[in-house]
Amino acid sequence: MACPDTVTTKNLTGKFRLNKSLSGNPDETLKLQGVSYLKRTAIANFSLTLEPNQYFDDAGLEHIDVKQTLSGGFKAPADILVLDNEDYPRDDDLFGPLFGKACRTKVDELDIDFLKEDWTEDTVEDGLIYVTVRSETEKTKRDWVIRLVWGFTIKDGERRFARRYKFTTKERPEPIYLKLYYDYLE
């Protein structure tokens, strides 16, 4: 179902299910992040639903907490974002120790062309949610970085929530670029 115009990067509410037929396959990225074959197979066979909760705290900082659920009611690790562009350490159930930071940014401020493409007018005006996640190499023995943007786009004639990323690692000479599209549920 198409996402209503009232849901924007400044009013990120609702439920969104990953549309696997429109999205790229994240398996290679997950493998390079150290996710086991068994977990990657489960991820490939389940549907992922996101439920973002966007708010401002008493200090005026913007937050987005995203509950993630796999079909069958299985919980996936939640995304807890503070949009202050500060690094936060986290021990993620899927990826292990990592650092993440998030901020709101204008499309034209991005330095990766792939992340700038095809956003709706409201996303360009309000800004993208820009997230950088990197492995805590000393603990994981892995060295990867993912630069991810969230916003809204038109895909197959419908307005959709979308995430795009550029993934880099020393284990692979070329980056991986991926687009993920979501169906609006409510």
Side-chain angles (χ1 to χ4, degrees), residues 38-131:
L38 184 63
K39 286 183 181 180
R40 293 193 329 269
T41 302
I43 290 167
N45 287 304
F46 288 108
S47 296
L48 175 66
T49 300
L50 308 177
E51 294 181 60
N53 176 32
Q54 187 173 27
Y55 60 95
F56 288 85
D57 65 20
D58 293 339
L61 288 174
E62 186 175 8
H63 294 249
I64 303 174
D65 299 344
V66 183
K67 176 183 168 188
Q68 300 186 91
T69 308
L70 295 170
S71 53
F74 296 104
K75 288 186 179 181
D79 281 334
I80 309 295
L81 306 178
V82 180
L83 276 63
D84 62 358
N85 208 28
E86 295 290 328
D87 260 333
Y88 290 95
R90 179 172 146 187
D91 195 6
D92 189 273
D93 295 338
L94 191 59
F95 306 115
L98 53 80
F99 294 100
K101 66 180 178 178
C103 65
R104 178 176 296 281
T105 191
K106 293 292 187 181
V107 172
D108 61 3
E109 293 173 357
L110 294 169
D111 60 355
I112 302 166
D113 288 340
F114 174 79
L115 302 180
K116 295 179 178 185
E117 301 169 354
D118 302 324
W119 299 109
T120 58
E121 274 186 45
D122 60 281
T123 297
V124 172
E125 184 178 314
D126 294 343
L128 293 160
I129 307 304
Y130 181 47
V131 181

Side-chain angles (χ1 to χ4, degrees), residues 89-91 95-99 135-142:
R90 179 172 146 187
D91 195 6
F95 306 115
L98 53 80
F99 294 100
S135 59
E136 192 172 338
T137 306
E138 285 184 18
K139 292 182 180 177
T140 64
K141 306 300 181 228
R142 299 207 176 266

Side-chain angles (χ1 to χ4, degrees), residues 4 7 11 35-36 49 86 97 120 134 174-175 184:
V7 180
N11 180 33
V35 178
S36 72
T49 300
E86 295 290 328
T120 58
R134 60 186 167 84
E174 314 85 29
Y184 179 76

